[in-house]
Amino acid sequence: MPAEFKMIAALLGDLDNSDGQGKVYFREDSSPDVLARATEHIRQAFPRDDDVDPTSTFIVTWENMAARGTTGRGDVLDRKRNTFQLVVASMESASYAILLYPRDGLQYLSTSIGGANKPLEAGFNQGMVQGWFYASQGTYYRTTTDEETSIRELTEYETNSGRHGVWVYEIGTTPVFIAITPGMTAKLFTEENVTKPAVTSSPQQPGYAETETQEGQPRYPDPFEPRYPDPDSTQQRYTPVQPVPPRSQPQNPQIVVVDEDLDVDVFAYNLETCANNRQKCSAFADCRDYTNGYCCHCRPGYYGNGKDCVAEGKPQRMNGKVNGRVFVGNSPSPVEFSNNDLHSYVVANDGRAYVAISSIPDSLGPSLQPLSSLGGIIGWAFALEQPGFQNGFSLIGGEFFRQAEVTFQPGNERLTIKQQFKGIDEHDHLVVSSELDGRVPDVPRGASVHIEPYKEIYQYSSNLISSSSNREYTVSLPDGGVQTRSYQWRQTISFQSCVHNEATRAVPPTQQLSVDQIFVMYDAGNQLIRFAMSNRIGSIHSGPPEQNPCFTGRHGCDNNAVCRPGEGLQFSCECTAGFTGDGRSCYDIDECRETPQVCGANAVCSNQPGTFRCQCASGFVFASDGRTCVAESRPVDHCQRGSHDCDAPDRARCSYVGGSAYVCSCLPGFLGDGRVCQDVDECRQDRCHRDAICSNTQGSFVCQCQPGFHGNGFQCSPTTTERQQTQCERHRASAQAASASSSNTGLFSFFRPRPAVGQYVPQCDERGSYEPTQCHGSIGQCWCVDAAGQEIPNTRTGPGSRPLCIEQTVTPPPVGPTPRPDISPAPPGTHLLFAQSGKIELVPLQGDGMKKDEAKALLHIPDRVVIGVAYDCVEKMVYWTDITGPAISKASLNGGDTIPVITTEVESPEGIAIDHVARLMFWTDSMRDTVEVAKLDGSQRRVLFDSDLVNPRPITTNPAYGRIYWADWNRDGPKIEMSNMDGTDRTVLVKDDLTLPNGLTYDPDNQQLCWADAGTRKVECMDPHRRLRRTVAEGVQYPFALVSHGRNLYYTDWRREAVVAVDRFSEKETDEFLPQKRSRLYGVTMTPAQCPQAYNYCSNNGGCSHLCLPRLGGFTCRCPDNSTAAAAAAAAAGRCEETNQ
């Protein structure tokens, strides 16, 4: 918009209803109840208009409309739908447009148009106007702007009608189009000052009438529903507008004549039954029909309001953002918040809550310490319940609005806290957005705050909860002084409940929240404000406290268990749903593995802690029940059907790109347009050695040394009847001769002094290469050497121990033709990749099991020793380090040649890790003793750490938290460290009971950091947040690298020359893969079919000029090191700016 034709746009964007869930309904309606409702809306918007008497209305309803391109993806956008209405009320002298939007906000605010993300629009368009000589574009009256904020404000209270989400415009009062007058009322109408129009059909109840909690649908919980009801079944009905065929051309709107005899159900109040709304309930709830509607009820073992249900006893997490501005003391300038991270964790079976807010500057942080209840609302939501009482989540679920007013004494400073709780997301986390506005008294830097235990009375009524209290706190000043202060706290919590269920258990009108063990702290170094408290909900009346451990929280049950009280002090621990064990120790149940058909046909199951997630397979989408996967109604995928005109599959690839479109491309080794592909004769490109014979094949070639020469075809050497001695063999012979000479017993040997220690004799392998580990038996020392026999610094050990040395030479080339050095395309799905000398192999995975019979070589790299392997799931690229180059390289998993990434200023690159969100690569160099970072193309390179490192090897990333983890197997002090990706907050996580920590991996689903130690012969895991450490496997042989997938940990083992799978929950080895070619295995990684969901602030480079490096709660803009002329020139020109965000 603007367009060539006339239109009223209630919400304009690239919307989609082709999946069968979205519907468009329209009708003309002159029934008394609809006319009365329209009259009421118009009079509210135009209170000075006395002659408002519409004679007819035209109603259009868009229901469950998706953004085009998001259906069937299985992610959050797939479940976001918008529902809205347009009503045109006509009178003799004028017409009015009434636009209605959902109270809880639109689920998405923009759509993709032409490859760019553009906000939705609303407004009125005149179209083309014919002038005397030519037509020109008429007036476009737009009610929104190019900012998404204006779209969000369509659902706010401050509308031009005074009604939440209702906008009214007077149109058509003159022949001039521009006579469009918006409503003039900004006052919010409440239930007391509005007279409801009479409605003959059953009114839709607030909250449940339009709610789609599980699928992310909008709802209309206005107490006086703005939705226009449909006529009785005896009146004429209208058919839904069908989607435009995908390949048809855009057309101007036209009148659709509908047969009045059609009896098609339209979106109406009488559809509010479980049959049509079961998907709106939680996956752990049952739907129950009542006389006037339906309600959702959590199943046994779960609690909540039916729309949101969580397992009893399961720990709960809350994530969100904090915005707003706060003045401190008498400061004239506020401290502003912009999407600061808020994280909370609750141990539900003892009521202990932990809250942290990031990026709080030290000018404000100390002064926020008294506000423990800023995050304490989650303590009330999941408080430990006393007999006969219920916490907040049990009563109202996870969707509610909380507003608190704080008045501090004696300065009378005031602060307003608004928090919108948005329910449980797809990760089972409670989502909240918070806003702070006002002033707080100053608490000096370095001061600590102590809050005494307190009690707060909550008063419950229909859809509203309120509480108030006076609280005292003590400020301990840095100079030793102590101040006692107080503030008054008042809050209201509004929500929507299901009113249909008359048998709902009566809620006590008052309950008391008891809060103790309160801990508050401002961490200036990390700019974090932390709160912790224990919460219990119970009676307001004094009496003997409950002594049963289930009600005191002192029971010792596992965090993932529920405590069941018995007689007296007796109790039992029972693992919560989705976990198994004795209650004292609980382990996750892999529903996908134990019940393979749990998701049904055409669906893929993904295990998650305590639960599982079903995603429709490619080409399928969820049906209206939200559970069954049905074939997606979309244009033909010619690639899958085989109806394309690409060349033969052994020469070309067909790639589906949406709609009915596809792209043909030639496979590596062929040239053409994809429809006709011709073989490339690589032999004309001199790819083989000059003393080799090149044989061209279809799409490839082979090299073979000529008679009289030996090698792999890429390198050929003359064949001799007697093999020449290698450098190691000559070195060994020389040392042995010197040793023999010194031990002669000739005439003069008596006068020759004997050496103090024996002569060092190098050890060579069967190929004549230096053994990677060299030892001098006389002095009891061992060390690592490179391919030339030179000692690698910092690897020498004392008597009784041997260093962990990497073999610096490659395995001899095979006899006969050698495969070309590039990637063979991998089949779709999830795979395990591991490195052997000179190649990378692939093992497909099915669930957690290895499909060993389908293993194959993915990449041949002659004369290279590959150490570390990593995978970028976005571009589907494999990255690896090799120490013979030395270099870091990459290649596409879909096939193609290798691409060098880092080739200079690198000595021994070993560990490598990818942040697929920020598009960064991290690696360790054991010779340079560095941890470094660069963009994925190798540019913007920067050294993060070059001190306190001796033998750094494995490294892994946590993109969601902006963290990196690495291990240093320094013999004198092995350790595992952690830091933010920008190099700040460097911390030693583990230093005790470590010897040779080789492998390292991070599991984001369970938030576990796991490592394999070749010295202790253990595989262990740790929660890096709570520092809880446990052993997964003992007695392993010689692990080198480690990766996590599902419930398994996979590690490569040098002694077993195998890939080993360990179930980290049962702590047992479950599988082993032995490659056909037996030799040492090095790095290992996963290639997931889809990228794990994660977000950090550098997803679009954060607005930085060069490097954007994430950290917990923010990001840092950094310049590359001036190690190259280009980098130095850019820095000198001042084009790089470093900032902290």
Side-chain angles (χ1 to χ4, degrees):
M1 202 157 68
E4 296 182 356
F5 49 85
K6 295 179 174 63
M7 78 164 85
I8 301 175
L11 209 58
L12 181 65
D14 196 1
L15 309 184
D16 186 12
N17 66 342
S18 62
D19 61 353
Q21 297 186 45
K23 297 287 189 301
V24 182
Y25 304 99
F26 66 94
R27 73 175 188 278
E28 186 176 3
D29 199 330
S30 301
S31 59
D33 56 333
V34 170
L35 294 178
R37 186 180 290 263
T39 301
E40 188 72 21
H41 282 147
I42 297 170
R43 286 177 176 172
Q44 290 171 10
F46 297 93
R48 298 180 182 178
D49 291 1
D50 298 327
D51 299 327
V52 177
D53 188 18
T55 57
S56 67
T57 62
F58 182 75
I59 303 173
V60 186
T61 304
W62 291 264
E63 178 194 8
N64 293 337
M65 303 297 293
R68 185 173 297 277
T70 63
T71 57
R73 298 192 337 187
D75 58 7
V76 178
L77 289 177
D78 183 24
R79 295 189 294 277
K80 290 192 174 183
R81 306 293 172 120
N82 283 338
T83 297
F84 50 96
Q85 275 187 319
L86 166 67
V87 179
V88 179
S90 301
M91 300 188 302
E92 292 183 2
S93 59
S95 295
Y96 294 86
I98 307 171
L99 296 93
L100 302 101
Y101 303 98
R103 174 177 178 178
D104 271 7
L106 296 164
Q107 297 296 300
Y108 59 89
L109 307 176
S110 60
T111 59
S112 179
I113 299 177
N117 211 38
K118 295 186 178 180
L120 300 170
E121 297 182 33
F124 303 83
N125 184 59
Q126 188 179 10
M128 298 299 293
V129 177
Q130 185 64 46
W132 289 104
F133 302 104
Y134 58 87
S136 62
Q137 179 64 49
T139 304
Y140 171 31
Y141 185 98
R142 188 170 176 182
T143 62
T144 58
T145 68
D146 289 331
E147 300 294 329
E148 289 190 352
T149 304
S150 66
I151 309 299
R152 186 179 292 108
E153 290 173 349
L154 292 174
T155 64
E156 301 291 339
Y157 281 103
E158 296 179 1
T159 67
N160 67 8
S161 72
R163 183 71 69 87
H164 198 160
V166 180
W167 298 78
V168 183
Y169 298 87
E170 185 178 15
I171 58 176
T173 54
T174 73
V176 182
F177 175 82
I178 59 175
I180 296 176
T181 307
M184 297 175 288
T185 299
K187 176 184 177 183
L188 177 63
F189 287 84
T190 60
E191 192 169 6
E192 288 74 16
N193 59 20
V194 173
T195 302
K196 299 183 188 177
V199 181
T200 56
S201 62
S202 299
Q204 212 167 320
Q205 298 297 334
Y208 277 61
E210 296 284 332
T211 304
E212 283 265 15
T213 302
Q214 183 174 349
E215 295 299 323
Q217 306 284 354
R219 67 179 184 182
Y220 294 77
D222 196 302
F224 2 99
E225 178 56 53
R227 191 66 179 254
Y228 280 67
D230 282 284
D232 296 334
S233 59
T234 56
Q235 297 178 340
Q236 68 181 35
R237 296 193 179 274
Y238 296 84
T239 184
V241 176
Q242 296 301 318
V244 178
R247 302 186 71 85
S248 65
Q249 299 297 320
Q251 299 177 356
N252 291 348
Q254 55 182 315
I255 301 298
V256 181
V257 180
V258 182
D259 188 347
E260 295 186 1
D261 294 332
L262 291 177
D263 187 15
V264 180
D265 284 338
V266 297
F267 188 61
Y269 293 128
N270 56 10
L271 292 183
E272 295 308 310
T273 63
C274 289
N276 299 292
N277 297 279
R278 193 178 308 276
Q279 75 276 9
K280 300 177 183 179
C281 299
S282 166
F284 308 110
D286 296 318
C287 187
R288 206 172 298 165
D289 282 318
Y290 295 89
T291 303
N292 295 321
Y294 72 95
C295 282
C296 304
H297 300 274
C298 296
R299 295 171 185 161
Y302 297 85
Y303 65 100
N305 67 344
K307 296 302 182 71
D308 288 324
C309 298
V310 298
E312 293 179 349
K314 182 180 179 181
Q316 299 300 321
R317 297 183 184 273
M318 179 175 72
N319 295 324
K321 301 292 182 181
V322 181
N323 292 279
R325 59 178 195 165
V326 176
F327 295 84
V328 179
N330 297 320
S331 173
S333 301
V335 177
E336 296 190 356
F337 296 85
S338 179
N339 287 331
N340 292 45
D341 283 324
L342 183 151
H343 298 285
S344 182
Y345 180 81
V346 181
V347 182
N349 59 21
D350 67 8
R352 186 72 175 165
Y354 305 86
V355 182
I357 304 175
S358 66
S359 302
I360 305 295
D362 53 9
S363 59
L364 173 63
S367 301
L368 287 184
Q369 292 180 97
L371 295 176
S372 60
S373 290
L374 178 63
I377 183 71
I378 195 173
W380 164 79
F382 296 101
L384 187 62
E385 296 174 337
Q386 302 302 293
F389 296 88
Q390 295 175 278
N391 60 30
F393 197 89
S394 296
L395 293 173
I396 67 176
E399 294 190 41
F400 56 89
F401 176 77
R402 181 253 202 143
Q403 179 166 330
E405 303 289 340
V406 189
T407 304
F408 296 89
Q409 299 299 335
N412 206 39
E413 298 91 349
R414 296 177 182 271
L415 180 71
T416 300
I417 303 172
K418 297 179 180 179
Q419 291 180 297
Q420 183 71 53
F421 289 79
K422 303 177 182 179
I424 303 292
D425 67 7
E426 69 277 9
H427 302 294
D428 284 339
H429 295 173
L430 184 61
V431 180
V432 60
S433 61
S434 304
E435 182 179 348
L436 307 181
D437 187 31
R439 187 178 297 273
V440 297
D442 181 43
V443 174
R445 298 179 185 180
S448 61
V449 171
H450 176 72
I451 302 176
E452 292 290 339
Y454 62 87
K455 301 181 186 297
E456 188 172 2
I457 294 177
Y458 283 71
Q459 297 178 332
Y460 297 78
S461 60
S462 177
N463 295 339
L464 186 69
I465 300 171
S466 61
S467 69
S468 62
S469 63
N470 291 310
R471 301 181 188 171
E472 290 189 350
Y473 61 97
T474 302
V475 179
S476 298
L477 302 174
D479 60 5
V482 176
Q483 296 178 356
T484 300
R485 304 179 184 178
S486 66
Y487 60 81
Q488 184 185 52
W489 176 275
R490 299 180 60 188
Q491 72 172 348
T492 57
I493 300 170
S494 56
F495 60 97
Q496 296 297 324
S497 61
C498 182
V499 299
H500 301 305
N501 183 8
E502 299 177 356
T504 300
R505 183 170 37 182
V507 179
T510 57
Q511 294 189 122
Q512 180 170 271
L513 179 70
S514 300
V515 183
D516 57 16
Q517 301 181 49
I518 305 167
F519 167 81
V520 297
M521 184 191 73
Y522 175 65
D523 182 351
N526 293 311
Q527 292 193 324
L528 287 172
I529 183 78
R530 302 180 187 273
F531 306 105
M533 64 215 72
S534 294
N535 308 269
R536 296 191 306 276
I537 194 78
S539 172
I540 63 172
H541 302 294
S542 60
E546 290 289 340
Q547 297 299 320
N548 190 284
C550 289
F551 303 124
T552 64
R554 300 183 180 91
H555 43 66
C557 298
D558 189 271
N559 283 354
N560 292 298
V562 60
C563 183
R564 303 291 188 192
E567 295 292 333
L569 298 179
Q570 295 182 351
F571 68 95
S572 60
C573 300
E574 178 182 318
C575 291
T576 189
F579 290 84
T580 184
D582 60 3
R584 299 282 182 173
S585 297
C586 297
Y587 306 97
D588 176 56
I589 298 173
D590 188 345
E591 294 87 353
C592 303
R593 185 175 185 177
E594 297 192 2
T595 314
Q597 303 302 318
V598 66
C599 287
N602 306 317
V604 178
C605 182
S606 174
N607 187 57
Q608 295 180 344
T611 183
F612 62 95
R613 182 184 179 193
C614 298
Q615 293 176 296
C616 291
S618 177
F620 294 85
V621 295
F622 284 112
S624 57
D625 63 1
R627 293 173 173 82
T628 306
C629 292
V630 297
E632 184 177 5
S633 176
R634 69 178 185 186
V636 175
D637 182 348
H638 293 284
C639 295
Q640 184 177 17
R641 177 175 290 186
S643 54
H644 58 81
D645 59 351
C646 300
D647 206 338
D650 59 346
R651 294 190 294 271
R653 179 186 299 111
C654 179
S655 302
Y656 176 68
V657 295
S660 293
Y662 58 90
V663 173
C664 300
S665 57
C666 295
L667 293 175
F670 294 90
L671 284 178
D673 61 1
R675 289 170 171 79
V676 177
C677 298
Q678 295 180 344
D679 175 58
V680 176
D681 188 351
E682 292 89 352
C683 294
R684 295 185 177 182
Q685 302 172 357
D686 294 330
R687 301 288 290 272
C688 302
H689 191 267
R690 64 178 179 273
D691 295 318
I693 299 173
C694 180
S695 301
N696 186 57
T697 63
Q698 285 293 305
S700 187
F701 67 100
V702 292
C703 300
Q704 188 169 15
C705 294
Q706 297 182 22
F709 295 86
H710 71 278
N712 61 5
F714 297 98
Q715 296 292 331
C716 297
S717 302
T719 301
T720 60
T721 57
E722 182 178 350
R723 182 171 68 84
Q724 295 181 353
Q725 285 189 327
T726 64
Q727 179 182 352
C728 180
E729 290 169 336
R730 291 194 299 272
H731 186 182
R732 181 175 61 186
S734 173
Q736 289 172 340
S739 177
S741 173
S742 65
S743 61
N744 285 337
T745 57
L747 177 62
F748 300 100
S749 63
F750 177 80
F751 301 98
R752 183 181 297 119
R754 302 180 67 86
V757 293
Q759 179 73 31
Y760 160 65
V761 178
Q763 296 93 54
C764 308
D765 63 16
E766 66 276 7
R767 302 186 302 271
S769 301
Y770 283 97
E771 290 281 2
T773 304
Q774 296 288 318
C775 294
H776 192 172
S778 298
I779 61 175
Q781 294 182 354
C782 296
W783 59 91
C784 299
V785 297
D786 59 19
Q790 297 298 311
E791 180 177 348
I792 297 176
N794 301 314
T795 60
R796 188 173 287 258
T797 62
S801 63
R802 292 171 63 90
L804 180 67
C805 303
I806 294 176
E807 189 173 358
Q808 304 284 326
T809 57
V810 296
T811 304
V815 177
T818 302
R820 54 188 292 169
D822 60 10
I823 275 191
S824 303
T830 301
H831 310 95
L832 191 72
L833 302 184
F834 65 89
Q836 264 185 312
S837 179
K839 67 177 179 178
I840 297 175
E841 290 209 20
L842 173 150
V843 183
L845 295 180
Q846 185 170 19
D848 293 324
M850 293 184 282
K851 300 169 70 174
K852 291 178 278 190
D853 56 338
E854 297 181 19
K856 69 171 188 175
L858 177 73
L859 173 67
H860 290 275
I861 321 171
D863 302 323
R864 292 289 183 266
V865 176
V866 178
I867 302 300
V869 186
Y871 181 66
D872 172 28
C873 58
V874 176
E875 296 183 344
K876 300 188 183 305
M877 300 289 288
V878 182
Y879 289 74
W880 66 90
T881 62
D882 81 74
I883 58 174
T884 48
I888 299 175
S889 307
K890 67 179 180 179
S892 171
L893 191 67
N894 295 324
D897 292 330
T898 61
I899 303 170
V901 180
I902 301 288
T903 58
T904 61
E905 296 191 58
V906 59
E907 296 182 29
S908 183
E910 297 192 12
I912 185 170
I914 302 295
D915 178 351
H916 69 279
V917 181
R919 317 304 296 145
L920 296 172
M921 168 179 63
F922 299 84
W923 72 94
T924 61
D925 192 314
S926 63
M927 294 288 285
R928 287 164 53 90
D929 292 337
T930 57
V931 175
E932 303 186 47
V933 63
K935 290 192 173 182
L936 291 181
D937 60 0
S939 65
Q940 316 298 331
R941 179 175 172 182
R942 183 182 178 93
V943 174
L944 291 178
F945 303 107
D946 58 3
S947 62
D948 198 21
L949 293 170
V950 178
N951 295 114
R953 178 166 290 162
I955 188 168
T956 188
T957 62
N958 179 4
Y961 283 77
R963 296 278 199 180
I964 55 173
Y965 307 89
W966 70 93
D968 186 332
W969 58 270
N970 174 18
R971 284 287 187 177
D972 296 328
K975 59 187 175 180
I976 298 174
E977 295 188 85
M978 167 186 74
S979 79
N980 291 323
M981 289 183 176
D982 64 356
T984 60
D985 195 18
R986 181 178 180 181
T987 306
V988 175
L989 277 177
V990 185
K991 63 180 180 178
D992 297 326
D993 299 323
L994 287 179
T995 305
L996 294 173
N998 271 338
L1000 195 65
T1001 186
Y1002 184 79
D1003 174 15
D1005 293 332
N1006 297 283
Q1007 298 194 33
Q1008 292 283 302
L1009 180 71
C1010 301
W1011 65 91
D1013 192 315
T1016 63
R1017 299 177 61 192
K1018 291 181 181 179
V1019 177
E1020 299 183 75
C1021 290
M1022 165 188 279
D1023 182 335
H1025 308 292
R1026 296 187 291 166
R1027 309 292 175 92
L1028 300 179
R1029 178 177 175 179
R1030 71 183 184 93
T1031 300
V1032 176
E1034 293 185 275
V1036 298
Q1037 294 295 308
Y1038 211 91
F1040 185 82
L1042 183 72
V1043 70
S1044 170
H1045 175 69
R1047 63 184 298 123
N1048 281 352
L1049 291 171
Y1050 299 87
Y1051 69 88
T1052 55
D1053 193 293
W1054 275 12
R1055 290 208 176 110
R1056 295 170 65 171
E1057 297 180 339
V1059 179
V1060 183
V1062 175
D1063 187 317
R1064 61 177 161 201
F1065 299 109
S1066 66
E1067 300 178 359
K1068 295 180 180 179
E1069 180 181 321
T1070 59
D1071 204 354
E1072 177 189 54
F1073 173 70
L1074 297 171
Q1076 183 176 6
K1077 174 186 172 184
R1078 304 298 297 277
S1079 65
R1080 282 183 175 179
L1081 309 186
Y1082 292 94
V1084 63
T1085 191
M1086 301 298 308
T1087 67
Q1090 293 182 340
C1091 286
Q1093 292 188 354
Y1095 169 82
N1096 62 42
Y1097 290 93
C1098 292
S1099 57
N1100 58 357
N1101 209 46
C1104 297
S1105 62
H1106 288 71
L1107 270 178
C1108 180
L1109 301 179
R1111 56 182 167 81
L1112 186 61
F1115 65 95
T1116 303
C1117 296
R1118 286 287 181 261
C1119 298
D1121 293 333
N1122 296 333
S1123 57
T1124 64
R1135 295 196 297 268
C1136 182
E1137 297 182 1
E1138 295 198 348
T1139 59
N1140 295 329
Q1141 302 290 335

